[in-house]
Amino acid sequence: MTVKELRQKFLEFFREHGHAIVPGAPLIPENNPTVLFTTAGMHPLVPYLEGEKHPEGARLASVQKCIRTTDIEEVGDASHLTFFEMLGNWSLGDYGKREAIEMSFEFLTSPEWLNIPIKKLAITVFEGDAEVSRDDESAEVWKKLGIPDHKISFMGRADNWWGPAGETGPCGPDTEMFYYVGEGDPSQKSNPKTDSAKWVEIWNDVFMLYDKRAEGKYAELIQKNIDTGMGLERTSAVLQGKASVYEIELFTPLLAQIERLCGYKYEERLKEFRIIADHARASAFILAEGVLPSNLDQGYVLRRLIRRAYRMGRQLGIEGPFLSRISEIVINQMRSDYPELQDNKSFIMSGISQEEEKFEKTLERGLREFGKMSTDGKLSGKDAFVLFSTYGFPYEMTEELAKEKGIEIAKAEFDKEFKEHQEISRKGAEAKFKGGLADSDEETKRLHTATHLLQAALRRVLGEHVEQKGSNITVDRLRFDFMHPDKLTEDEKIKVEYSVNSAIKADYPVTWEEIPTEEAKKQGALGFFGHKYGDMVKVYTIGKGDDIFSKEICGGPHVTHTGRLGHFKIIKEEAVSAGIRRIKAIFEK
Ligand code: SER
């Protein structure tokens, strides 16, 4: 079964079972400052899992592009990826555990669908702890469906508890489905608890019953949800009988291109090939959403991915920038499902090449310094740290170089320096966080509402060509990118601030309704340019009767009255790229 077929079958199955197919969301979450990337299909659905009504109903399914960086060091083995696609289905207070498990089982084993022999499957279930009891109910359902006792293992929080995706949000116990990848027939005794190397997790049904709050407490959700996630690449790999995700058709053309560039065979240098292929995909998708390499947030992750891939290329003997040539294959291969790749092709390719060039310069400079520091055949830990912190020279490269030249590094001293430095930056980050507001959820809601006011004000002051290109909210500021050809004058900035503050003073109600997308457009609701919407959308209105200040298609959440916002102040106005400006704003204390 091809990857494409698996995507289609999954959606078809859940459509037949009454689910609305919803479009995937962007990789960069729009209004969730607690995470850098969309890490799971449930991510864009958080407000609905928390009880808001979803315009498409209570049964949903999607294919969601995701990035997870927690496993970045594992990339290179057979199953870890930073960028992957997740197939998912959801019940928003609709069906429960039994039906969710029955559907998972039917999709996996029915001859009409994936046709996996039952003996190749094993299940794990939450074993319970002081707070939440053992999930015997799930185990019973699996047993009734024909999974033998010895293939159902009970495990703890580390294995069978999911979420939240950020620091706070919906979470709960889960039951996971594993596929046998060991030699021969799955033996009577083998299961993922005792024999984990022989089993690959392919699907996860989460029972989202709790909401983790900022203070670390778990509150029961009023609405009991189901959230499932199936890794597309992993499942494709096991169905195709491949030993690793890198051997499915999404990767083989990338590996072939790397072979052409370096002369090694994939089998000879698994780790380097895999890292390059994975990072080329992740980088292309991040750049496709307008993020450039930088030292901050998503830009920093992107920078790391490109530089690491570059280093792997160097280890394979590839000279100079090459990664954009791998990403180009990613673009060509995936553009029909992800048109943003094609739309931003030159931005992606040049973004990658420019970063590689920058890194080359960094390496050259580091190399020169390294030479100066190690004239006596030794490199102190302090100097190795300076190379890393001041010259951006990766420690691995220092080590590599030292080995080549027979130079000794005081590693223990480097480690000490590194640790101290980390301590300092962690303390700094904590202090910064504590300086923020006690209730981060409420503060982000206020800034989110201010973003709507800002867009409306910009359109009033500058003209209707102003259109949102991006938005990002942290606990202490909003950032809004929009189309406008020129730098704002002082006078324009004052007018925009005044307009937003007048809307705050007017204490407008903030209300929403779900209406057909067509109707929303007819009413002049602003939408996010280039965004795919379903048939029904949520529209937020600020104002009342004849006095409507803003109307936008948006998932929320928002405050209920603009009077809840503070005094709005623009702190920065700058260019992002040609024709796109960026405003950062805060509430003045
Ligand atoms: N949120 C769960 C996961 O990511 C199921 O979708 O595994």
Side-chain angles (χ1 to χ4, degrees):
M1 184 180 299
T2 64
V3 171
K4 228 182 172 61
E5 279 163 358
L6 177 55
R7 276 199 208 99
Q8 276 163 2
K9 269 195 188 266
F10 185 89
L11 297 180
E12 199 181 308
F13 176 86
F14 283 100
R15 192 184 288 118
E16 282 186 13
H17 288 73
H19 293 63
I21 309 305
V22 292
L27 266 183
I28 316 289
E30 282 243 86
N31 291 304
N32 187 345
T34 68
V35 279
L36 292 180
F37 294 103
T38 298
T39 58
M42 54 73 68
H43 216 134
L45 298 173
V46 169
Y48 310 106
L49 293 164
E50 287 175 341
E52 274 190 46
K53 214 166 149 248
H54 192 285
E56 302 276 342
R59 290 180 175 219
L60 310 174
S62 78
V63 180
Q64 177 63 52
K65 51 181 175 174
C66 301
I67 286 206
R68 282 189 192 175
T69 51
T70 41
D71 294 335
I72 195 165
E73 297 301 329
E74 318 288 336
V75 173
D77 71 2
S79 63
H80 282 93
L81 296 167
T82 54
F83 173 87
F84 62 97
E85 291 169 84
M86 189 182 273
L87 306 169
N89 62 284
W90 291 273
S91 154
L92 304 172
D94 188 77
Y95 53 83
K97 233 177 226 185
R98 187 182 50 78
E99 212 178 329
I101 294 176
E102 283 171 358
M103 279 192 273
S104 292
F105 182 81
E106 185 190 349
F107 183 66
L108 292 175
T109 61
S110 155
E112 205 188 322
W113 303 99
L114 299 190
N115 200 18
I116 297 175
I118 292 183
K119 65 177 183 198
K120 289 212 164 191
L121 292 175
I123 305 297
T124 62
V125 180
F126 185 53
E127 72 180 0
D129 58 17
E131 284 162 75
V132 177
S133 58
R134 181 175 137 119
D135 189 6
D136 289 315
E137 193 189 336
S138 292
E140 280 310 311
V141 180
W142 286 117
K143 257 184 243 171
K144 274 212 187 96
L145 290 168
I147 303 284
D149 248 343
H150 67 272
K151 289 276 170 52
I152 303 174
S153 323
F154 287 91
M155 296 175 83
R157 278 208 189 221
D159 296 283
N160 286 93
W161 183 275
W162 198 87
E167 283 153 23
T168 56
C171 54
D174 66 44
T175 179
E176 300 184 2
M177 290 146 262
F178 289 74
Y179 187 99
Y180 187 72
V181 293
E183 294 285 309
D185 238 22
S187 87
Q188 287 297 310
K189 290 267 143 46
S190 181
N191 68 44
K193 189 171 181 176
T194 55
D195 215 5
S196 67
K198 293 188 179 157
W199 296 90
V200 173
E201 184 206 334
I202 52 172
W203 204 353
N204 183 10
D205 287 1
V206 185
F207 311 118
M208 290 202 150
L209 311 174
Y210 303 94
D211 202 12
K212 189 176 177 206
R213 297 285 166 80
E215 62 277 19
K217 282 202 196 102
Y218 291 88
E220 267 191 47
L221 283 169
I222 300 163
Q223 176 181 290
K224 309 285 179 245
N225 309 291
I226 303 291
D227 153 44
T228 94
M230 173 186 269
L232 176 76
E233 295 82 356
R234 279 188 191 185
T235 308
S236 291
V238 299
L239 291 175
Q240 293 180 15
K242 306 283 194 207
S244 97
V245 291
Y246 293 95
E247 278 134 57
I248 62 174
E249 71 272 26
L250 290 178
F251 289 95
T252 43
L254 311 184
L255 302 177
Q257 174 74 333
I258 304 169
E259 284 185 345
R260 279 193 291 275
L261 290 174
C262 73
Y264 284 106
K265 290 269 158 245
Y266 164 63
E267 293 74 25
E268 295 170 312
R269 303 293 289 262
L270 289 180
K271 185 171 164 228
E272 290 90 345
F273 271 69
R274 288 171 174 177
I275 292 176
I276 292 171
D278 171 80
H279 290 11
R281 284 187 356 132
S283 303
F285 274 91
I286 298 174
L287 277 148
E289 294 194 13
V291 173
L292 278 170
S294 71
N295 285 331
L296 213 70
D297 299 342
Q298 290 93 351
Y300 177 67
V301 173
L302 176 60
R303 169 159 282 169
R304 260 184 81 189
L305 290 167
I306 297 174
R307 292 186 172 203
R308 189 142 170 261
Y310 180 91
R311 268 204 300 119
M312 293 301 132
R314 201 171 166 276
Q315 284 177 15
L316 293 177
I318 302 174
E319 278 173 27
F322 72 99
L323 194 62
S324 66
R325 292 168 67 183
I326 315 294
S327 292
E328 187 173 18
I329 304 176
V330 176
I331 298 170
N332 294 340
Q333 188 189 34
M334 299 193 72
R335 62 186 164 196
S336 59
D337 293 302
Y338 298 96
E340 63 273 28
L341 291 171
Q342 183 61 29
D343 296 345
N344 297 293
K345 184 170 177 179
S346 57
F347 181 80
I348 296 169
M349 306 249 316
S350 64
I352 291 178
S353 309
Q354 282 169 16
E355 181 60 17
E356 285 182 297
E357 281 157 22
K358 248 188 220 157
F359 190 45
E360 276 191 322
K361 293 220 175 74
T362 302
L363 294 184
E364 275 165 30
R365 222 178 24 236
L367 222 56
R368 271 200 309 274
E369 291 305 313
F370 181 97
K372 283 190 226 157
M373 290 167 171
S374 59
T375 42
D376 58 352
K378 283 195 199 119
L379 188 72
S380 74
K382 267 207 165 64
D383 281 344
F385 187 74
V386 169
L387 279 175
F388 164 75
S389 60
T390 311
Y391 294 94
F393 199 74
Y395 181 73
E396 295 85 344
M397 302 243 359
T398 304
E399 248 183 351
E400 215 177 277
L401 213 61
K403 209 162 133 198
E404 256 171 48
K405 305 198 167 176
I407 284 168
E408 205 184 305
I409 310 176
K411 172 91 168 63
E413 198 193 342
F414 171 83
D415 288 342
K416 194 170 147 255
E417 289 282 332
F418 187 77
K419 225 167 134 188
E420 271 169 23
H421 176 80
Q422 270 189 324
E423 285 286 307
I424 295 165
S425 38
R426 192 172 55 79
K427 285 216 177 89
E430 273 169 12
K432 200 167 114 194
F433 189 72
K434 285 214 183 93
L437 278 117
D439 190 345
S440 60
D441 287 354
E442 189 56 25
E443 188 58 11
T444 47
K445 258 195 230 168
R446 297 194 319 141
L447 286 162
H448 186 193
T449 305
T451 304
H452 284 217
L453 297 179
L454 173 61
Q455 174 157 231
L458 286 166
R459 288 167 66 90
R460 283 168 194 218
V461 176
L462 304 174
E464 306 248 304
H465 61 276
V466 168
E467 209 170 85
Q468 172 169 352
K469 287 299 284 179
S471 151
N472 167 281
I473 292 166
T474 68
V475 285
D476 43 32
R477 60 118 181 94
L478 67 83
R479 190 182 83 198
F480 185 72
D481 297 347
F482 58 101
M483 298 203 282
H484 183 62
D486 310 306
K487 187 170 175 55
L488 267 61
T489 63
E490 270 315 301
D491 182 51
E492 284 167 339
K493 272 195 271 181
I494 290 168
K495 281 189 179 138
V496 170
E497 282 174 349
Y498 182 80
S499 171
V500 171
N501 283 317
S502 313
I504 293 171
K505 262 198 218 110
D507 196 18
Y508 287 126
V510 183
T511 55
W512 61 270
E513 55 175 351
E514 348 163 351
I515 51 175
T517 309
E518 279 313 306
E519 174 60 23
K521 286 189 182 146
K522 233 183 265 159
Q523 288 185 13
L526 301 178
F528 191 58
F529 179 70
H531 199 96
K532 286 176 273 173
Y533 291 108
D535 295 338
M536 297 285 286
V537 286
K538 247 169 104 170
V539 171
Y540 271 89
T541 302
I542 305 181
K544 202 166 70 189
D546 298 339
D547 192 11
I548 302 293
F549 192 81
S550 142
K551 214 181 237 302
E552 272 194 44
I553 299 177
C554 172
H558 286 279
V559 300
T560 52
H561 277 84
T562 57
R564 301 232 168 132
L565 312 186
H567 186 261
F568 178 84
K569 174 103 191 116
I570 295 176
I571 51 168
K572 195 161 195 171
E573 192 277 331
E574 60 189 345
V576 180
S577 59
I580 302 186
R581 310 293 306 175
R582 167 169 293 174
I583 280 181
K584 287 187 185 160
I586 56 167
F587 296 125
E588 224 167 18
K589 304 269 151 54

